[in-house]
Amino acid sequence: MMVNRRQWMAGGAALATTMAAGPLIAKSVKSKPIGIQLYTVRELFAADPMATLEKVAAIGYREVEYGGGGYDKMDHAALRKTMDRLGLTAPSVHIGYEALESDFDGAVKMAKTLGADTVVLPWMAEAYRNAEGWKAAVANFSRWAERLKKAGLSFAYHNHDFEFTVKPGGTSLFDTLVADTDPALVKIELDLFWTVAAGEDPKAIIRRLPGRIYAYHVKDRTADGNMTSVGKGVIDFADIFTLNRTAGVKHFYVENDQSPAPYLPDIQTSFAALSRLRA
């Protein structure tokens, strides 16, 4: 069920509400660098990855999460060198199911070269969204998480809406994932937009999974259901962030799958809005 949400803008009344929420929000967000999922600027990144990293860093982002833009085929050592020069880190990388299945060792090497400590599985195709296919996939999640741990890496799963809305036999894919995996090994990267889009209450999810939320994907949602820059929609991030300690969240990644060209103004707006929560 959706919870009540109020739009909050720069200088608006909801900002005052955020500030009034006090030390809990400040401590749980202020200490965390603001990151960006590079899928948001995938067109720019694919054309000129090094220049894109420079522009991201110039805005003020200090963490990047690789995903899309053809990053998996690039020179990862060169990307790492550029990040080091710019003061950027990449705590996690998105690696697809098929890539993990076909070249697990290559995925580990790529993640480590980029300096990541966590591999995030970002998407599952339609073919797996049934009882049999999901059961087999979840078993692989557990197996890969064990192998990643031995390699010094962690594993997390990134949700969309279908994990909540597809319910083979009456049980959602998300509930099956949570129940059939070890919470110490399989973490959740909670995409707040998609959680809300599925009709779920992010705070209820967090309370169900204390300590299991690896990161948030922070992207806003308009009243009519479209993606928008953080702070331009109706998701009450300030309210959600009161549970950051319960969640155990380590990273806050701005993401907008539908970021409009030329992209940089959108991520600047999101950075500024998320920064206000850190004041």
Side-chain angles (χ1 to χ4, degrees), residues 123 129 159-166 193-195 197-199:
W123 172 258
R129 302 178 197 177
N159 69 281
H160 288 74
D161 56 348
F162 69 83
E163 292 89 350
F164 298 107
T165 60
V166 177
F193 173 96
W194 287 116
T195 301

Side-chain angles (χ1 to χ4, degrees), residues 207-227:
R207 289 191 182 102
R208 282 179 54 201
L209 304 174
R212 197 168 181 179
I213 309 300
Y214 164 73
Y216 296 137
H217 269 196
V218 187
K219 55 189 172 194
D220 219 333
R221 188 173 189 263
T222 63
D224 57 358
N226 293 316
M227 292 181 192

Side-chain angles (χ1 to χ4, degrees), residues 259-270:
S259 177
Y263 312 109
L264 295 179
D266 176 72
I267 67 171
Q268 286 175 319
T269 297
S270 291

Side-chain angles (χ1 to χ4, degrees), residues 44-209:
L44 297 178
F45 188 81
D48 194 336
M50 306 310 176
T52 302
L53 290 174
E54 289 177 350
K55 291 170 182 175
V56 163
I59 290 171
Y61 289 99
R62 287 296 170 261
E63 293 184 343
V64 297
E65 183 178 55
Y66 283 90
Y71 94 89
D72 54 322
K73 305 300 182 184
M74 294 180 181
D75 183 336
H76 303 123
L79 288 171
R80 175 68 179 274
K81 184 177 180 179
T82 299
M83 288 194 304
D84 290 346
R85 174 173 61 83
L86 296 170
L88 294 171
T89 61
S92 50
V93 294
H94 277 195
I95 301 179
Y97 186 87
E98 286 72 21
L100 287 168
E101 194 170 38
S102 63
D103 187 12
F104 184 87
D105 290 341
V108 169
K109 180 180 178 181
M110 177 172 65
K112 288 193 167 186
T113 301
L114 290 169
D117 58 42
T118 299
V119 169
V120 180
L121 182 59
W123 172 258
M124 291 298 290
E126 190 86 30
Y128 299 101
R129 302 178 197 177
N130 55 73
E132 184 177 350
W134 193 250
K135 181 179 180 180
V138 168
N140 278 334
F141 299 169
S142 295
R143 181 168 59 85
W144 292 334
E146 288 275 11
R147 292 180 66 188
L148 286 168
K149 182 180 180 181
K150 292 177 181 177
L153 297 170
S154 299
F155 177 87
Y157 182 86
H158 170 276
N159 69 281
H160 288 74
D161 56 348
F162 69 83
E163 292 89 350
F164 298 107
T165 60
V166 177
K167 301 179 179 181
T171 301
S172 73
L173 299 179
F174 188 83
D175 285 349
T176 297
L177 166 64
V178 167
D180 291 358
T181 55
D182 183 344
L185 291 174
V186 178
K187 303 295 185 179
I188 303 296
E189 182 173 68
L190 191 65
D191 188 300
L192 299 174
F193 173 96
W194 287 116
T195 301
V196 171
E200 298 289 330
D201 177 356
K203 292 180 73 175
I205 300 296
I206 292 165
R207 289 191 182 102
R208 282 179 54 201
L209 304 174

